[in-house]
Amino acid sequence: MRARPTRHALVTGGAGFLGSHLCEQLLADGARVTCMDDLCTSDGSNVDHLRDDPRFSFVHHDVSEPFTTADDVDLVLHFASPASPADYLRLPVETLRVGSVGTWHALEAARRTGARMVLASTSETYGDPQVHPQPESYWGHVNPVGPRGVYDEAKRFGEAITTAYRTAHGVDTAIVRIFNTYGPRMRREDGRAIPTFIAQALSGQPMTVAGDGSQTRSVCYVDDTVRGVLAVAGSDLPGPFNVGFPEERSVLDIARAVAAAAGVDVPVESIGRPVDDPTVRCPDITAIRTALGWEPQVSFADGLARTVAWFRQTAPASLATV
Ligand code: NAD
């Protein structure tokens, strides 16, 4: 097991939802943090509260373009990528570039500095799975030429090149396959189910559920995901490790739970199911639980209450009284 704590982390995509929580936790743990982000799916406000900390620096840069880093970087967390379907469908080529060329640059940075490099991969590497729940040994069921292929295949390539840098160049790498995560700092308009439902519920609009809502998801509160990622980062294990909440719910149940947490009674409206939308999704977390003792601690009810409270606090003035 890797004993030394992180001294200087480079977090690509550090201004995004997960990245900003990682930057915050790394600073709290005593590390210096360089956050590199091109702000293509964020606006920088997630890290505004960190900017006065002298151990934090922000670099506005596209990681698909070459970059250099300080020699003392000892951890690279590669989290840069459009992540919501709305974003990667709007930015298909950029998504493929950051998963491929961007991952290559992150690996080169780790190779040069001798840092450990952790790749943010995704449960989407399992595609529309035919094995359920999904263990890391499952290779997945992905349509490379469907609309979601730009994201899924970028991440699958990212995993392959990360593995190749470990075997061919001896870089200390790890892969985390993150399942759907929710919490404060998600964008209301990013198209993912939970922020969409919360924004709709808080503004008294019908909640739009894809299809009949019987498709399942497993959703993990952000604090748990961050703890899981940093547990892997702090070890010397290569993974891949699933990081997710092994409790499966239908999308319709998630919508109803959001309405209950927001204390509103809004109707549910069915909209078209996206192409290649996975039918089921649930992580098998035996590997990370056994190797690192990690498992989620925040219940769905608690996580949802905290997330709804944050969305209420940060609601545009026109919604603040709802
Ligand atoms: P996000 O959109 O909130 O954050 C992504 C950040 O990456 C944004 O700040 C964006 O501006 C930045 N970025 C994108 N392309 C870039 C580039 N070329 N150069 C520099 N910065 C770039 O998304 P998120 O939910 O925080 O996801 C972060 C990472 O975790 C992604 O790699 C995503 O694939 C992975 N992930 C997230 C989830 C989840 O549920 N949130 C699940 C699985 C995997």
Side-chain angles (χ1 to χ4, degrees):
M1 199 76 95
R2 187 169 175 261
R4 68 194 152 96
T6 301
R7 281 174 295 127
H8 185 176
L10 168 68
V11 184
T12 76
F17 162 52
L18 289 182
S20 65
H21 285 278
L22 285 163
C23 289
E24 197 174 272
Q25 188 58 50
L26 285 159
L27 288 167
D29 292 344
R32 279 174 59 207
V33 173
T34 300
C35 165
M36 183 176 284
D37 202 300
D38 70 352
L39 304 182
C40 68
T41 64
S42 56
D43 61 8
S45 58
N46 284 343
V47 291
D48 275 350
H49 64 298
L50 306 178
R51 289 179 198 259
D52 287 341
D53 188 325
R55 291 171 305 132
F56 177 81
S57 54
F58 179 79
V59 180
H60 189 177
H61 184 75
D62 174 355
V63 300
S64 301
E65 300 297 329
F67 60 86
T68 54
T69 46
D71 291 343
D72 67 350
V73 165
D74 55 355
L75 176 66
V76 177
L77 297 180
H78 181 45
F79 275 65
S81 173
S84 85
D87 289 334
Y88 61 70
L89 295 176
R90 178 173 62 85
L91 300 166
V93 176
E94 292 83 348
T95 301
L96 281 158
R97 282 197 81 217
V98 74
S100 53
V101 182
T103 304
W104 175 47
H105 288 156
L107 286 160
E108 274 298 317
R111 181 186 183 188
R112 195 186 64 76
T113 58
R116 178 158 167 84
M117 188 277 200
V118 179
L119 171 70
S121 186
T122 168
S123 56
E124 301 292 336
T125 58
Y126 299 124
D128 189 6
Q130 294 176 316
V131 169
H132 189 63
Q134 294 79 57
E136 290 85 349
S137 55
Y138 177 50
W139 292 353
H141 182 229
V142 170
N143 176 4
V145 295
R148 305 172 76 96
V150 296
Y151 182 67
D152 304 1
E153 296 294 10
K155 292 291 185 180
R156 289 165 67 96
F157 177 88
E159 290 199 12
I161 193 172
T162 298
T163 305
Y165 262 65
R166 185 176 185 88
T167 50
H169 297 314
V171 175
D172 178 15
T173 62
I175 296 167
V176 283
R177 291 186 183 146
I178 302 168
F179 283 63
N180 290 344
T181 297
Y182 68 99
R185 302 196 196 132
M186 293 187 93
R187 283 170 298 137
R188 315 181 129 62
E189 71 290 358
D190 90 354
R192 291 186 265 200
I194 290 185
T196 305
F197 293 155
I198 296 178
Q200 290 169 332
L202 292 184
S203 59
Q205 290 163 14
M207 287 186 293
T208 48
V209 166
D212 65 2
S214 62
Q215 64 276 22
T216 67
R217 297 293 181 266
S218 303
V219 293
C220 192
Y221 188 64
V222 62
D223 289 4
D224 280 329
T225 298
V226 163
R227 219 170 24 82
V229 169
L230 293 181
V232 173
S235 77
D236 56 6
L237 301 172
F241 285 113
N242 287 338
V243 175
F245 203 133
E247 241 179 52
E248 196 181 356
R249 295 165 203 286
S250 73
V251 170
L252 188 58
D253 283 348
I254 293 175
R256 289 191 178 127
V258 167
V264 298
D265 186 16
V266 288
V268 168
E269 226 173 67
S270 174
I271 55 169
R273 208 58 203 276
V275 178
D276 298 334
D277 191 36
T279 311
V280 289
R281 188 48 68 67
C282 186
D284 177 335
I285 60 164
T286 309
I288 187 168
R289 190 189 268 141
T290 308
L292 298 168
W294 176 87
E295 58 187 359
Q297 289 173 351
V298 181
S299 70
F300 182 50
D302 277 2
L304 213 46
R306 293 185 211 178
T307 309
V308 168
W310 181 84
F311 272 76
R312 233 190 257 283
Q313 266 165 29
T314 57
S318 58
L319 301 179
T321 54
V322 175

